[in-house]
């Protein structure tokens, strides 16, 4: 039997995608796409969500829609297999969000840990937080449920969003009858991939910290960034024992290296464990490890760069892909919204029975 899985995920277009996105989700999406174990797969650009906290910067969002689309295509997402679309072009998502707002309390939103941290990060004082930003978990629930997604591959920071979506689905189905589908989160398959640190060793790659390696970085930029990466500040001389804990070069090697990489780039060691043993014993310099990491990352990024260069030559074709994907996605969302309106009893014009029944009742002189 064909798989019934409907996979859906997306990104905010606030910058080019980086290695954190790649190990955290993009790489997995391409694998899922190629395994083909799904009925439908959607990957979308969450521009409306990006606007919730970039209200005064529409141009940034607009420019990054194409950057993210290029990153998707160059990372290997295939528009023949995956529906790529732009969130804001699907008005059904706004409609569904509006209905969902009846099902969620202010206190429930305030308890959403991701929203809590983001409110703190952005320094919104008291109640000055924009309503649209505060309620974006509701709109995210609409993104997921409008397509009846069963499987949502995202990073662990998105767990509260999926939980909130699940609650909304349960509440909706309880009140209006079974209509929507409960989504399941699909987390990255190992801990390193959940949160790749920045090149400076800080907890997360983030554009504002300037510690990202972008998928679109050139080999030269990559080399510079790898060479300046945070390692072990106590490892000053080669002969000293080095520490792996918090050593970003090794964290990246954990996330990216395979045994084949060793035979290709550093055959003196069979695998990462051997390299780690030498490093902690002493006698292995950071330079050697960085050179290995550069070679591995460059091997991963080179095909992505080449595909990007091709797509960059035909931007109108990229917009055509997005337009077609958006049309396709909109048809699916429209179907769900028909079912939602019917369940909510607001499908007046499509309900011949309703009209006939009321006509009869009024004719009979009932109230
Ligand atoms: N909030 C997600 C992020 O910041 C983006 C997103 C919006 C999303 N809607 C979604 C992800 C629906 C998965 C499903 O990365």
């Amino acid at each position: 039997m064909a798989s019934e899985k409907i996979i859906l995920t997306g990104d905010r277009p606030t910058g080019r995608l980086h290695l954190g996105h790649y190990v955290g989700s993009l790489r997995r999406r391409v694998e899922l796409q190629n395994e083909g174990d799904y009925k439908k797969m959607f990957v979308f650009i969450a521009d409306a969500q990006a606007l919730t906290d970039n209200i005064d910067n529409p141009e940034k969002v607009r420019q990054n829609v194409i950057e993210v689309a290029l990153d998707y295509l160059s990372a290997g997402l295939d528009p023949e297999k995956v529906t790529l679309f732009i969130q804001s072009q699907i008005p059904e998502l706004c409609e569904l969000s509006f209905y969902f707002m009846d099902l969620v309390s202010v206190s429930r939103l305030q308890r959403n840990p991701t929203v809590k941290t983001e409110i703190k990060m952005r320094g919104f004082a008291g109640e000055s937080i924009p309503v649209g930003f505060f309620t974006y978990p509701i709109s995210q629930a609409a993104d997921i449920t409008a397509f009846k997604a069963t499987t949502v591959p995202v990073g662990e920071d998105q767990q509260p969003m999926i939980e909130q979506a699940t609650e909304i689905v349960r509440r909706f189905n309880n009140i209006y009858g079974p209509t929507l589908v409960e989504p399941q989160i699909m987390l990255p398959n190992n801990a390193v991939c959940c949160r790749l640190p920045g090149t400076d060793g800080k907890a997360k790659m983030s554009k504002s910290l300037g510690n990202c390696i972008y998928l679109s970085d050139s080999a030269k930029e990559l080399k510079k960034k790898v060479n300046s990466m945070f390692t072990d500040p106590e490892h000053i001389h080669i002969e000293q024992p080095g520490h792996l804990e918090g050593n970003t070069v090794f964290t990246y090697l954990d996330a990216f290296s395979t045994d084949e990489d060793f035979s290709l780039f550093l055959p003196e060691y069979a695998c990462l464990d051997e390299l780690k043993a030498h490093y902690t014993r002493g006698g292995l310099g950071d330079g050697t490890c960085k050179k290995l990491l550069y070679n591995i990352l460059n091997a991963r990024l080179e095909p992505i760069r080449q595909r990007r260069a091709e797509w960059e030559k035909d931007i109108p074709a990229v917009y055509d892909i997005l337009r077609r994907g958006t049309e396709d996605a909109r048809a699916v969302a429209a179907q769900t919204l028909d079912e939602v309106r019917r369940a909510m009893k607001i499908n007046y014009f499509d309900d011949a029975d309703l009209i006939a029944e009321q006509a009869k009742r009024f004719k009979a002189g009932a109230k």
Side-chain angles (χ1 to χ4, degrees):
M1 199 185 84
S3 172
E4 288 302 302
K5 249 188 242 167
I6 296 178
I7 303 173
L8 173 135
T9 187
D11 299 280
R12 296 182 184 193
T14 53
R16 288 177 288 154
L17 300 183
H18 52 59
L19 284 184
H21 295 113
Y22 185 71
V23 292
S25 59
L26 211 43
R27 184 168 64 178
R28 187 89 187 88
R29 291 178 201 170
V30 176
E31 284 166 14
L32 287 168
Q33 163 194 283
N34 293 336
E35 286 161 13
D37 176 30
Y38 55 82
K39 189 164 130 199
K40 197 104 180 103
M41 181 163 168
F42 299 94
V43 177
F44 74 99
I45 303 178
D47 61 335
Q49 187 176 107
L51 285 169
T52 63
D53 68 333
N54 287 279
I55 309 144
D56 46 5
N57 211 343
E59 192 57 31
K60 170 174 133 188
V61 173
R62 181 186 178 82
Q63 295 306 330
N64 280 308
V65 168
I66 188 72
E67 293 285 357
V68 171
L70 285 165
D71 285 331
Y72 283 167
L73 293 167
S74 43
L77 289 179
D78 175 354
E80 298 293 317
K81 298 182 180 149
V82 175
T83 302
L84 302 173
F85 71 90
I86 305 181
Q87 182 191 31
S88 64
Q89 304 307 298
I90 312 229
E92 285 78 5
L93 298 178
C94 296
E95 186 182 350
L96 191 56
S97 304
F98 188 68
Y99 301 143
F100 283 175
M101 286 188 185
D102 298 332
L103 307 178
V104 184
S105 69
V106 170
S107 68
R108 176 62 184 87
L109 281 171
Q110 276 166 335
R111 263 187 288 122
N112 185 310
T114 306
V115 175
K116 253 186 179 162
T117 337
E118 285 175 329
I119 290 176
K120 224 179 274 159
M121 255 164 48
R122 285 171 183 68
F124 287 126
E127 313 218 311
S128 70
I129 176 167
V131 174
F133 178 75
F134 181 61
T135 55
Y136 91 76
I138 298 180
S139 116
Q140 187 155 339
D143 298 338
I144 295 169
T145 53
F147 304 95
K148 301 204 170 150
T150 60
T151 312
V152 185
V154 280
E156 59 179 349
D157 62 316
Q158 295 295 306
Q159 187 131 30
M161 303 298 158
I162 311 299
E163 278 166 19
Q164 185 127 40
T166 305
E167 279 176 37
I168 291 175
V169 169
R170 290 196 183 140
R171 188 104 209 273
F172 188 100
N173 289 347
N174 254 329
I175 298 173
Y176 302 115
T179 312
L180 301 173
V181 176
E182 283 185 33
Q184 298 276 324
I185 190 167
M186 180 188 249
L187 288 168
N189 24 23
N190 70 57
V192 199
C193 296
C194 267
R195 190 155 293 187
L196 195 74
T199 51
D200 55 359
K202 297 238 171 71
K204 211 175 162 181
M205 269 198 186
S206 118
K207 196 174 47 173
S208 50
L209 295 173
N211 61 3
C212 302
I213 293 175
Y214 293 100
L215 294 181
S216 48
D217 278 347
S218 67
K220 207 170 139 205
E221 286 165 314
L222 176 67
K223 186 167 264 167
K224 212 171 115 206
K225 289 181 182 179
V226 171
N227 281 335
S228 67
M229 264 171 85
F230 182 81
T231 55
D232 170 10
E234 287 163 35
H235 188 228
I236 297 160
H237 304 290
I238 287 191
E239 23 342 313
Q240 289 175 315
H243 298 92
L244 303 174
E245 181 108 359
N247 189 320
T248 319
V249 170
F250 280 92
T251 311
Y252 280 35
L253 287 171
D254 275 327
F256 287 97
S257 74
T258 63
D259 293 353
E260 293 89 84
D261 289 319
F262 279 87
S263 55
L264 222 53
F265 302 119
L266 200 59
E268 297 91 300
Y269 304 85
C271 61
L272 184 55
D273 284 340
E274 282 187 15
L275 189 79
K276 285 179 174 172
H278 192 181
Y279 191 78
T280 47
R281 192 162 72 232
L284 175 62
D286 287 335
T288 308
C289 305
K290 285 180 169 174
K291 188 153 177 246
L292 169 69
L293 178 61
Y294 165 77
N295 282 324
I296 294 174
L297 292 179
N298 199 45
R300 299 292 182 280
L301 293 182
E302 185 49 29
I304 297 179
R305 268 182 220 128
Q306 280 176 11
R307 278 193 293 263
R308 195 182 229 270
E310 286 307 306
W311 284 112
E312 282 177 355
K313 287 184 209 149
D314 200 356
I315 295 299
V318 178
Y319 274 102
D320 274 341
I321 288 169
L322 292 173
R323 184 186 303 117
R324 269 181 276 128
T326 301
E327 281 164 10
D328 175 16
R330 189 165 179 198
V332 177
Q335 169 65 36
T336 305
L337 261 292
D338 278 346
E339 294 166 26
V340 162
R341 284 187 221 102
R342 191 177 335 124
M344 292 180 71
K345 300 189 176 293
I346 53 175
N347 60 332
Y348 316 102
F349 305 136
D350 306 328
D351 192 348
D353 286 350
L354 167 81
I355 300 171
E357 180 264 313
Q358 290 186 340
K360 208 168 118 198
R361 187 156 54 81
F362 280 97
K363 205 177 249 167
K367 307 190 258 111

